[in-house]
Amino acid sequence: LWGRQPIPREPIKARDLYVVLDVSRSMLCEDAPPNRLARAKADLEALAEELDRRGGWRIGLIVFADRAAVLCPPTFDIKHFQEVLREADLDTLRLRSGTLASDRGTNLSAALARIRSVLSKANRQGEAFADVLLVSDGGDEVDSATRDAAEALSAAGVRIFCVGLGDPRRASPIPLTDQSGKKQWLTHRGETVLVRLEPETLRELARLTSGAYVAAETLPLPTARVVDLLTSAPRRELDLIGAGSEPIPRYRWFVFPALLLLVVESWVSKSARTTRGREISSVGRSPWLVRIIGPSRKHLAFSESSKPQAKGR
């Protein structure tokens, strides 16, 4: 095999889903065990598998905290999306170059600006045929920049479905690990920082974009409800012809020469066996071989016994 050829695919109806995941330090709170971020990742993996089973979905991943970055563009490869999702955290975000940053811990406006940037590059026909699933514990406010970004997304046909994680009634400390591996709590000016789920901002973003707010809080994400919400929107036809490639099979080029060589080898072997058989047969009937070898032992014994015995004196 050498060379590659495009894989022909029929156009399909599909819609894009941008998962926007909050990876700020507050997502490490343990009120949604084992913590908010780990719970969100497990729920999103299960959601991706369900959407893949139903078909017609491309899923991408954007993470944000004080900045935002695209970790995985929309793809049909759910396994790749899940692999990137497992590695998503605050350190991964800050290692990415070209991220949108601010001085705030949880910057929703940076996340929405990143979504707009991605959609403007991917879509040039007006309606985006995309939705956003924003998973966060809130904590930011809907300022003018955030409101303008949400309204622009809504005008492009993008709905924002917000999932709230964390306990809205009881605040929790943020765990950290020091260099020795010992668990500590995040402090500010000598006081332990306590945070709780603040759903007001998430509800407002969902309202501005005709989306919905899902209060997961400290429980697993209701996957079936989220899937029902997502599948209610129209999809666009994606032309995937030539989107993939595969190796070009060239084994046919070698089949006929190989068969020909097998026939020749069989014929030569048969001819050689026949020739050797004839030679052995002819040697067995040749009188000169008897003269060379001489009489057999049995014949000599018979000849000796047939001689007259000498009489005794």
Side-chain angles (χ1 to χ4, degrees):
L1 300 176
W2 67 87
R4 301 187 71 84
Q5 63 184 359
I7 301 175
R9 295 178 180 176
E10 295 294 332
I12 64 172
K13 295 286 187 179
R15 191 172 179 88
D16 293 339
L17 175 65
Y18 290 88
V19 173
V20 181
L21 178 61
D22 186 351
V23 294
S24 61
R25 293 192 185 278
S26 61
M27 290 291 285
L28 298 177
C29 289
E30 298 171 345
D31 50 358
N35 60 55
R36 297 174 185 176
L37 183 58
R39 168 56 58 83
K41 290 181 179 181
D43 291 345
L44 291 172
E45 282 197 48
L47 176 64
E49 290 178 359
E50 178 61 22
L51 292 177
D52 184 50
R53 188 184 66 81
R54 298 201 179 196
W57 285 93
R58 297 193 305 182
I59 306 181
L61 178 63
I62 297 174
V63 297
F64 75 100
D66 60 335
R67 63 197 72 193
V70 179
L71 297 189
C72 178
T75 178
F76 286 108
D77 189 348
I78 301 302
K79 296 299 182 184
H80 174 66
F81 167 81
Q82 292 175 330
E83 290 174 1
V84 175
L85 176 65
R86 295 187 194 111
E87 301 299 323
D89 57 20
L90 187 58
D91 293 334
T92 303
L93 170 61
R94 290 179 173 173
L95 286 174
R96 287 296 180 106
S97 60
T99 57
L100 298 176
S102 77
D103 57 356
R104 291 185 292 182
T106 302
N107 188 2
L108 285 171
S109 62
L112 299 185
R114 178 60 70 184
I115 298 169
R116 290 184 61 189
S117 175
V118 171
L119 289 177
S120 64
K121 295 178 181 178
N123 178 64
R124 312 238 180 230
Q125 301 176 354
E127 192 169 1
F129 291 94
D131 288 319
V132 171
L133 182 65
L134 193 153
V135 182
S136 175
D137 54 9
D140 201 1
E141 61 181 12
V142 181
D143 56 14
S144 58
T146 304
R147 182 179 296 274
D148 291 344
E151 291 176 349
L153 289 173
S154 179
V158 177
R159 302 173 301 172
I160 300 179
F161 298 95
C162 297
V163 176
L165 280 179
D167 193 331
R169 293 164 291 277
R170 182 176 62 87
S172 301
I174 300 175
L176 299 176
T177 303
D178 60 17
Q179 295 181 350
S180 64
K182 184 179 179 180
K183 186 176 180 180
Q184 297 180 340
W185 306 109
L186 179 65
T187 61
H188 179 68
R189 295 181 179 177
E191 297 290 334
T192 301
V193 177
L194 299 174
V195 291
R196 62 179 180 85
L197 168 63
E198 299 177 5
E200 294 77 13
T201 300
L202 303 178
R203 293 181 187 276
E204 181 64 9
L205 287 178
R207 187 191 66 80
L208 289 172
T209 59
S210 301
Y213 173 72
V214 178
E217 298 185 353
T218 60
L219 299 176
L221 177 70
T223 304
R225 181 187 172 193
V226 174
V227 170
D228 290 341
L229 290 171
L230 293 173
T231 53
S232 62
R235 306 183 183 188
R236 63 176 169 180
E237 187 175 86
L238 297 177
D239 186 3
L240 301 180
I241 296 176
S245 63
E246 62 183 356
I248 301 175
R250 303 184 189 273
Y251 63 89
R252 300 180 184 87
W253 294 9
F254 304 98
V255 171
F256 179 74
L259 291 176
L260 181 60
L261 289 174
L262 286 174
V263 172
V264 171
E265 191 274 339
S266 177
W267 179 79
V268 170
S269 299
K270 184 177 180 181
S271 299
R273 289 194 298 270
T274 302
T275 302
R276 286 196 299 270
R278 289 175 179 174
E279 291 176 353
I280 293 173
S281 178
S282 62
V283 167
R285 294 194 299 268
S286 299
W288 56 267
L289 183 61
V290 177
R291 289 196 298 272
I292 294 174
I293 298 175
S296 64
R297 291 182 179 181
K298 183 178 180 182
H299 180 69
L300 289 175
F302 175 77
S303 299
E304 292 293 336
S305 63
S306 64
K307 288 182 181 181
Q309 299 292 327
K311 295 181 178 181
R313 292 183 180 180

